[in-house]
Amino acid sequence: MSVATQHVLQVRDKIKLSDIERRIFDRLLASLRHFNLQTQVRVAGGWVRDKLLAKDCYDIDIALDNMMGTEFAHKVKEYLVSIGEGKDVRGDGKIKSNPDRSKHLETATMRWFDMQIDFVNLRSEEYIENSRIPSKQSFGTPEEDACRRDLTINSLFYNIHTDSVEDYTKRGISDLKSGRIVTPLPPKATFLDDPLRVLRAIRFGVRFEFTLDEDLKVAAACDDVKDALAAKVSKERIGKEVDLMISGNQAVKAMTHICDLTLFWNVFSLPPVFKPAISDGCERLCVAYLDTAWNLIHLLKESTFKVPVVNYIIVDSLKQKGEDAKMVLDLHRASHKFLSLIPCLASNEDLQPDDVDWMRGLIDDVSIASRVRVLTGFLLREIKDLWRVALLVSILLHPIGINDTEDESSQLHKRRDLFNTVESSIIKLGLDNVWEVKPLISGEDIMNVLQLKEGPLVKEWKEKSMAWQLANPFRTTEECIDWLRETNSKRVKLE
């Protein structure tokens, strides 16, 4: 398993506001004065963390000590309209209930100078068994609000009145500086209140390359927390967290954490009955393949590939879109088809594929010299612009000659070279965008020429005519029709 280099993050002693952020905060303070409101306004969470790390952040969560978010948002907009700046704000401060973002009480939102601003009150929360949605909420103190959050690095406040950072957990800044992922309260209690925080801890840990606290890891791996993850957190939310992990730059490390914390089968749950049986250590093999694929992608200098695993996991376990599951299955089928074509596409000799049962009937009438082009063309028309992903998977599965003296890097370079060779062969065959090529003749043409009614036979002739077209890329529609008549005539005589 490759190990990422540990980055030392520089943490600022003071938040440096952009001109837009300063203008927004000035208008918030002016709104307080205009309506004579005795309210403390703070910025909470991720914006504070990112600003201390000198990172841009375009989402600002405003936390209020004695007002509901919607009430204050309406006041702010009313004030902006009164000074002629109402046009700068989009959104009317409507309540936005969004459990998917762990926001379970009324939240007002507005778009202001291309910044997303959310308004909510400071709160304390109580949870009930089998739900991550709080059963009781009330106005809270800054300390209570900070302690209810998932991680100390996300519990910091920026007080816009004093232009200062407030660390009510007494360790948020130190954990940020030392690169540690820690919960404000004992980790087991924090995770049992909201088990999704386990996955968030992993995600933030790999995002910033921070170290997970040892007590946090023990709590995350305990049976009570794993049971709570299954009982209290929706599959959609688990899927969203996994998607964010995979979309980041440390996907392998995230999946390694999930394995190390024995959460793999809680996250990627299987159906109650399945065949074949899963072998011991299968999760480690999955991560090993992901690691190899990740390294190979970087060697290839291609854009990020995201290759999920099976239909059930995508649709049922992670509750992703049905189209995603179909895409995954198509990729797997295509990668196995690629395996039979790789020796031919990678060779300088005129090799023919050995196992092409998936196209046997369609290539019988195709010249031997053209069969590789026809088979590859059909495969790319099936998988379209995801063909490089399917090729990547097949390259991982394809056996390569390895001797005992070769290290992992040498093996990886062999796979990279094989990928590049096959890719070049496909491009030289003129198949890179073959799925965009229109058939020379349509189903209607076939019915007119052969006097057929719509049905399976027409579909068969459409596929055969495409095979002919792929074998003869520079022929015309008229020549295709002549071939159709001639081939059908021979077929009729044989019958």
Side-chain angles (χ1 to χ4, degrees), residues 6 14 21 48-49 91 108-109 127 130 135 153 159 195 204 231 266 287 289 291 301 303 321 328 339 375 442 478:
Q6 182 74 24
K14 186 177 177 64
E21 289 165 340
V48 185
R49 176 201 65 225
T109 185
Y127 293 82
N130 296 327
S135 61
I153 63 170
N159 190 314
F204 283 112
N266 296 86
V287 175
Y289 268 109
D291 185 36
K301 296 181 172 60
S303 60
K321 295 178 181 178
V328 172
L339 281 173
L375 290 167
S442 66
E478 290 73 18

Side-chain angles (χ1 to χ4, degrees), residues 189-308:
T190 297
F191 293 156
L192 288 177
D193 279 345
D194 184 354
L196 188 67
R197 291 168 176 167
V198 174
L199 300 183
R200 287 175 56 83
I202 293 173
R203 176 162 63 85
F204 283 112
V206 299
R207 173 182 171 184
F208 296 115
E209 299 187 53
F210 283 7
T211 301
L212 300 184
D213 177 69
E214 288 301 319
D215 289 340
L216 181 150
K217 291 195 287 187
V218 171
C222 79
D223 289 340
D224 288 344
V225 170
K226 287 191 286 187
D227 290 343
L229 183 65
K232 297 176 70 171
V233 183
S234 71
K235 299 298 186 183
E236 290 86 351
R237 285 303 297 133
I238 291 176
K240 180 65 174 177
E241 285 297 323
V242 171
D243 192 54
L244 290 170
M245 291 179 196
I246 296 292
S247 301
N249 61 357
Q250 294 288 343
V252 177
K253 193 170 183 179
M255 293 304 111
T256 301
H257 278 316
I258 286 176
C259 277
D260 291 343
L261 299 176
T262 64
L263 294 167
F264 191 88
W265 298 116
N266 296 86
V267 174
F268 302 102
S269 58
L270 295 169
V273 179
F274 57 89
K275 290 183 179 180
I278 299 296
S279 59
D280 291 340
C282 176
E283 65 274 22
R284 295 290 176 184
L285 186 61
C286 291
V287 175
Y289 268 109
L290 179 61
D291 185 36
T292 303
W294 197 259
N295 290 327
L296 183 55
I297 287 166
H298 286 290
L299 273 181
L300 293 168
K301 296 181 172 60
E302 292 287 338
S303 60
T304 300
F305 290 99
K306 183 182 130 182
V307 186

Side-chain angles (χ1 to χ4, degrees), residues 430-464:
L431 296 172
D432 189 19
N433 295 301
V434 69
W435 56 90
E436 296 178 355
V437 174
K438 294 182 179 180
L440 289 174
I441 57 176
S442 66
E444 186 176 352
D445 294 329
I446 293 169
M447 287 188 287
N448 290 335
V449 171
L450 302 184
Q451 296 298 300
L452 296 174
K453 293 183 178 180
E454 188 171 354
L457 195 55
V458 174
K459 180 181 179 182
E460 179 184 337
W461 278 113
K462 284 176 67 175
E463 292 175 341
K464 282 182 174 292

